Amino acid sequence: MTGAVTSSPPPHLVPTPEQLTWQRDGFGVFFHFGVNTFAGKEWSDGTLSPQIFDPTELDADEWVRLARDMGAKYVILTAKHHDGFCLWPTATTDYSVASSPWKDGEGDVVREVADACETHGMKLGLYLSPWDRNAPQYADAAAYDEFYLAQLRELCTNYGPLYELWFDGAGPAGREYAWDRIGALIDELQPGAMVFNMGPATIRWVGNEDGLAADPVEYVTASADLNNYDDDVVETAEARYLPPECDVSLRRGWFWQPGQEPKSLPHLLAIHDRSIGLGASLLLNIPPDRRGRIDPEDKARALQFGQALRDRFGSPHESTLAVIEDGIEVDLGGARQLDHIELSERLEEGQRVTSHRILDSEGTVLAEGRTVGVRRIHRLDQAITVSALRIETVGEGAVIERVAVHDAVGAPVPDLTDAYRASTEEPGS
Ligand code: FUL
């Protein structure tokens, strides 16, 4: 499909090739793992003993395989959470796996996850909390900047190509980090990595920890929420192309704790529809347990979710598109039964669609919404059989470049009403 793009927008309003690849990938799995896992805590203050870190059966291959089997394209590991405990044997502090009984202090969780990613063709991202409640240097900003840069250098040097660096905005309000130097280091060592939400960000946080975007999902913005705990926002001097990532945990907490359960399948499908289905990316946390394995209940639910996604979207029927006077004519090549319609707009010249409608050949509106972006999935209330559709879009230079339809019959289309649950509890320290 080609269409009239009337003006060339400046580079900061269009995606880089790396951003577009990241948006098309769309689905990642988060692994929160560390001393908190062994203490039943969400946050800890840097005083937990490294002696408690002792996974008996750590199997990073299982973690990454699960992510792959669910259809995710990348994983993000908490190399260091706010407590400061490092999952790799860093030279910067003793507060790391090197001081733990696990593998007699010879282990490296980051290495094991990186190796598993290589084996399974998955992309690796790392979370390195700027807030560090163990490092004595933290009180001295200049000293801490050096310490943090040294940690980032180790991670950016020793584990192959990184796909995403996750900079968590939680921590003392107003604390600044050495973002210019952090940006220069990433440019030097991992220029292709996506940068989450802070400093030289290329992607942004969606603004909640429930995994939910809302229509419109605008890729160009001048501000993003910083964290879940205060009203801080990160602002840029001018609007930039910063597509959102929706993070959410399979369980109530981010770290594995006894007594929690995975979210229900309808809830997960609702999250899918409100993130990936709205053109945002989804980062679903599946926290390894104290063995260093995936909790069997979590694993079963995650696989069920992956299967449900394949049942719904695994056999897309592509269509032929033709530009007509007031939109696009979609030829399905004969009568098709369908219950989901997926649209993608061309993004190379920036996001253009501000609203859209899908109609059948009688002119009945089947679905409508605002943005389309990298993908927009509409679920119909019931299956229909049609051979053609018409799409109307509003937005200068908008080009719908792909329309696929899905037939999930035989696979349950859950009732998504009431599936959302706001996470209201704050982590204890
Ligand atoms: C938050 C952190 O405080 C949570 O512990 C978790 O890591 C979440 C992904 O980000 O800001």
Side-chain angles (χ1 to χ4, degrees), residues 25-359:
D25 283 350
F27 184 18
V29 169
F30 224 161
F31 298 125
H32 275 68
F33 190 58
V35 277
N36 291 342
T37 310
F38 298 85
K41 287 183 180 288
E42 278 297 311
W43 283 3
S44 56
D45 64 4
T47 59
L48 288 175
S49 167
Q51 289 298 317
I52 66 173
F53 185 86
D54 196 11
T56 46
E57 302 167 41
L58 190 135
D59 186 357
D61 201 79
E62 180 198 36
W63 312 355
V64 173
R65 226 172 37 238
L66 176 63
R68 183 205 60 189
D69 290 348
M70 290 171 70
K73 299 287 189 282
Y74 65 101
V75 304
I76 311 260
L77 171 69
T78 53
K80 179 185 83 168
H81 203 251
H82 311 321
D83 46 70
F85 184 78
C86 297
L87 292 183
W88 80 104
T90 173
T92 60
T93 172
D94 290 337
Y95 200 51
S96 83
V97 282
S99 303
S100 80
W102 178 59
K103 297 196 168 179
D104 294 326
E106 299 290 320
D108 182 343
V109 184
V110 180
R111 165 77 53 225
E112 298 205 12
V113 173
D115 288 350
C117 283
E118 206 177 326
T119 306
H120 298 294
M122 296 285 286
K123 301 172 186 178
L124 172 68
L126 295 173
Y127 168 118
L128 183 69
S129 172
W131 185 28
D132 187 321
R133 301 173 82 185
N134 175 270
Q137 301 90 325
Y138 193 77
D140 174 347
Y144 181 72
D145 286 346
E146 298 303 329
F147 172 88
Y148 188 80
L149 282 158
Q151 293 191 329
L152 189 60
R153 181 169 286 279
E154 290 179 351
L155 293 176
C156 287
T157 307
N158 297 330
Y159 300 97
L162 297 179
Y163 185 58
E164 182 170 331
L165 289 160
W166 222 90
F167 296 120
D168 193 323
R175 171 73 181 240
E176 287 293 330
Y177 301 95
W179 290 117
D180 288 350
R181 295 178 64 200
I182 291 169
L185 190 143
I186 297 169
D187 282 349
E188 176 199 337
L189 298 171
Q190 297 285 349
M194 290 292 102
V195 178
F196 178 81
N197 218 44
M198 298 182 81
T202 54
I203 55 177
R204 74 175 196 276
W205 185 46
V206 76
N208 63 70
E209 294 187 343
D210 304 317
L212 304 176
D215 191 20
V217 173
E218 283 164 352
Y219 298 153
V220 171
T221 179
S223 80
D225 287 328
L226 190 61
N227 64 49
N228 219 22
Y229 314 108
D230 58 41
D231 295 332
D232 271 10
V233 291
V234 217
E235 279 169 346
T236 54
E238 55 184 4
R240 282 195 287 139
Y241 193 92
L242 282 177
E245 182 176 59
C246 304
D247 60 331
V248 63
S249 187
L250 183 64
R251 309 176 129 228
R252 188 162 56 77
W254 290 99
F255 286 89
W256 184 92
Q257 298 196 30
Q260 296 188 0
E261 290 170 358
K263 291 182 169 54
S264 68
L265 180 62
H267 191 165
L268 293 172
L269 288 169
I271 287 170
H272 172 274
D273 288 1
R274 283 277 304 269
S275 54
I276 294 175
L278 286 179
S281 289
L282 172 61
L283 180 60
L284 176 66
N285 182 61
I286 306 182
D289 65 15
R290 290 179 186 162
R291 299 168 305 155
R293 301 284 308 267
I294 303 297
D295 182 290
E297 243 193 298
D298 291 3
K299 188 171 181 172
R301 182 58 44 77
L303 290 172
Q304 199 186 11
F305 178 47
Q307 185 59 47
L309 293 181
R310 282 193 294 280
D311 290 344
R312 293 167 99 204
F313 307 118
S315 314
H317 177 76
E318 302 293 335
S319 57
T320 311
L321 310 183
V323 178
I324 54 168
E325 202 183 331
D326 54 352
I328 284 193
E329 188 72 44
V330 181
D331 180 356
L332 297 176
R336 306 280 317 177
Q337 177 166 302
L338 59 100
D339 51 21
H340 289 78
I341 303 169
E342 179 174 352
L343 315 178
S344 300
E345 72 172 297
R346 191 165 74 195
L347 290 170
E348 277 80 356
E349 292 85 21
Q351 186 182 25
R352 301 291 180 128
V353 177
T354 54
S355 74
H356 65 283
R357 302 201 303 169
I358 305 175
L359 304 94

